Amino acid sequence: MSCFEFTFSMSAPTNLEQILSTLKRRPKIFPFLRLPPELRNKVYRSLLVSTKTFTVGLRFGSFDTSLLSVNKQIHEEASGIFYEENIFRIPQSVFIGPPIIEQLRDLYRLPPSRLCQLRNLNLEIPVYGPYHDELFSQQVVMNVYDLTRPLRDSRTPLKVEINIVEPWVETAAGLKAGYFIDIMTPWAFLWMERRSPGEETTKVNFKILSKSPHLPKLLSRVATMLEFAQMDEPTLIAPN
């Protein structure tokens, strides 16, 4: 043991500012793993938790997650904080691609074991009219159902904001209520399965971005299903 390490262990820093300051001054010999777990967690949160939304992709934007690769112990301790305390956005492109679970596992570092840890999800789910390839609609619906399956296995609090958007559709005159029901139904089942008497473990909000004048009438049918599940009606938003 070096003189520095011995001296430092006798007077370890007790707050986050001191820890970060010492890390910057002596990054190679700081005995980080000797700190109490609660102090290590403070460091993890300061470095890995952001107020910004993480878009699921090949990289998490410009955010540095290299801390998760330092060693096995730090990865196990810090990854739970990273996945549980951040907001993750899954864009439209993931829903119209190959099976979503395989995509998230193989390309985006989100296997089912990590999906179960997520507590805050922001989803962009596209809805296609009959004038577009029907395979797109089928793939989206299948991916929505598949995404809810690992989330049902988790009992951690979960907040989901679902933005349903109409790509490349100007008026959406050909849309049917069935398109929206197919997308909303698995989330209604998830909400009912995870609901616990006296506590709100799951919150699902639907927002529909549409210019269609026909949409309110279509959603009157959807409202019946959501009322049965005791869920709030969707919020309609006119995109810019």
Side-chain angles (χ1 to χ4, degrees):
M1 180 181 292
S2 68
C3 293
F4 167 75
E5 288 178 318
F6 177 79
T7 303
F8 186 81
S9 65
M10 299 296 292
S11 58
T14 58
N15 61 59
L16 183 59
E17 291 75 15
Q18 289 178 338
I19 293 169
L20 294 177
S21 175
T22 306
L23 281 171
K24 292 177 180 178
R25 293 198 310 269
R26 303 177 185 269
K28 293 183 180 180
I29 55 177
F30 181 80
F32 177 72
L33 293 177
R34 298 182 192 174
L35 292 173
E38 58 271 19
L39 291 183
R40 296 202 300 271
N41 288 341
K42 286 184 177 181
V43 174
Y44 298 147
R45 286 190 175 92
S46 71
L47 298 175
L48 293 174
V49 178
S50 174
T51 56
K52 297 180 179 179
T53 299
F54 289 91
T55 298
V56 171
L58 297 178
R59 296 185 60 189
F60 291 120
S62 59
F63 197 79
D64 186 2
T65 58
S66 58
L67 178 65
L68 298 175
S69 304
V70 171
N71 62 38
K72 184 177 181 180
Q73 180 178 344
I74 289 179
H75 176 80
E76 291 176 352
E77 293 178 350
S79 60
I81 290 174
F82 175 69
Y83 288 105
E84 290 177 11
E85 300 186 18
N86 283 302
I87 303 172
F88 288 84
R89 168 181 169 266
I90 301 182
Q92 298 178 44
S93 57
V94 178
F95 285 97
I96 62 175
I100 195 168
I101 297 300
E102 285 78 0
Q103 280 192 80
L104 294 175
R105 180 193 63 208
D106 299 337
L107 296 178
Y108 306 128
R109 309 177 302 286
L110 275 175
S113 59
R114 293 301 182 202
L115 285 173
C116 291
Q117 290 183 284
L118 301 185
R119 295 188 178 186
N120 208 321
L121 273 172
N122 188 308
L123 311 178
E124 289 187 356
I125 303 178
V127 174
Y128 293 85
Y131 304 113
H132 298 91
D133 193 332
E134 196 68 22
L135 290 176
F136 277 120
S137 297
Q138 295 173 6
Q139 188 65 54
V140 169
V141 171
M142 289 177 59
N143 281 334
V144 169
Y145 272 87
D146 288 344
L147 181 61
T148 61
R149 289 176 181 172
L151 297 177
R152 292 180 185 179
D153 297 332
S154 171
R155 287 296 175 263
T156 58
L158 176 65
K159 180 181 178 182
V160 185
E161 181 173 298
I162 301 174
N163 297 295
I164 301 176
V165 297
E166 299 170 0
W168 314 311
V169 177
E170 292 299 326
T171 63
L175 286 176
K176 298 179 181 179
Y179 288 109
F180 297 97
I181 292 176
D182 286 343
I183 288 173
M184 294 178 177
T185 297
W187 298 105
F189 279 120
L190 178 140
W191 188 85
M192 288 189 291
E193 288 181 8
R194 291 172 52 100
R195 185 174 52 187
S196 300
E199 58 178 308
E200 188 173 13
T201 58
T202 304
K203 186 172 182 60
V204 180
N205 291 325
F206 295 105
K207 294 182 180 180
I208 300 179
L209 285 70
S210 173
K211 297 179 180 179
S212 171
H214 307 277
L215 203 54
K217 184 177 180 180
L218 291 176
L219 291 181
S220 63
R221 291 180 56 194
V222 175
T224 302
M225 179 199 69
L226 297 178
E227 183 179 355
F228 173 78
Q230 299 180 10
M231 299 178 72
D232 294 334
E233 292 187 13
T235 301
L236 298 182
I237 301 175
N240 297 328

